[in-house]
Amino acid sequence: GIPGIKRKEDTMKYWIIAIAGGALALGLIMAPEAEGRWSRGPDVDLRFAGSSTVIDVDEETGDTSTLQVTQAKGKRGNAHLNANVVYGPVGPYEGCPVFGADATVTWVATYNDGSVLTGSGSGSVCTDGTVFVGDVSGEITGSIGRFEGASGSWEAQASVLNSAFTGTLTADFD
């Protein structure tokens, strides 16, 4: 038996206390990550992968509209992350190996529990002739569910090879 424990009731009390203490310790370790209250880094930190499709090319302006449909995983849970990226006429662009363009983006992240975050912003897209790489940032423009009332800023980095779209999105709440 366990030293100092002499009766069956004492043994049961010991195990109840041990299990409850373990559950409490696990809760203290897991809860900050789940809620993001005491963890370090951005409030939202997602990795995403999916597809990118050209949906329109404006003949007059040269603007290209694309739709990205992705699955995202990371801090704050799993989400469907969809974005519309519109980039201007592609041409010589400072810092790009071959071509680049200004870009504007709007996105919607719909989480498995029905909560929603939305954002809009701008940045740039560069290509080496094969892979398109984008860096964009902006403001959170809407929220529903557990994010109700959230505002703040976000930034994303993404790449497109053929129609495969991958990247990261981070956001910090005010």
Side-chain angles (χ1 to χ4, degrees), residues 41-127:
D43 293 309
V44 174
D45 190 354
L46 297 172
R47 297 170 315 286
F48 55 82
S51 65
S52 178
T53 304
V54 173
I55 56 175
D56 184 47
V57 178
D58 186 315
E59 298 291 330
E60 290 182 28
T61 65
D63 289 353
T64 300
S65 294
T66 62
L67 177 64
Q68 287 69 39
V69 178
T70 71
Q71 293 290 318
K73 290 184 172 191
K75 186 175 181 180
R76 293 291 178 143
N78 299 338
H80 296 282
L81 178 65
N82 300 327
N84 176 240
V85 178
V86 178
Y87 55 93
V90 174
Y93 197 91
E94 187 176 329
C96 292
V98 178
F99 297 112
D102 292 331
T104 60
V105 63
T106 56
W107 56 266
V108 176
T110 305
Y111 286 80
N112 292 344
D113 68 354
S115 297
V116 176
L117 276 177
T118 64
S120 63
S122 60
S124 63
V125 176
C126 287
T127 184

Side-chain angles (χ1 to χ4, degrees), residues 51-53 68 127 130-134 158-166:
S51 65
S52 178
T53 304
Q68 287 69 39
T127 184
T130 304
V131 177
F132 286 82
V133 177
S159 64
V160 178
L161 174 59
N162 298 318
S163 64
F165 185 70
T166 60

Side-chain angles (χ1 to χ4, degrees), residues 19-32:
I19 291 170
L24 177 62
L26 185 59
L28 290 173
I29 292 167
M30 300 292 284

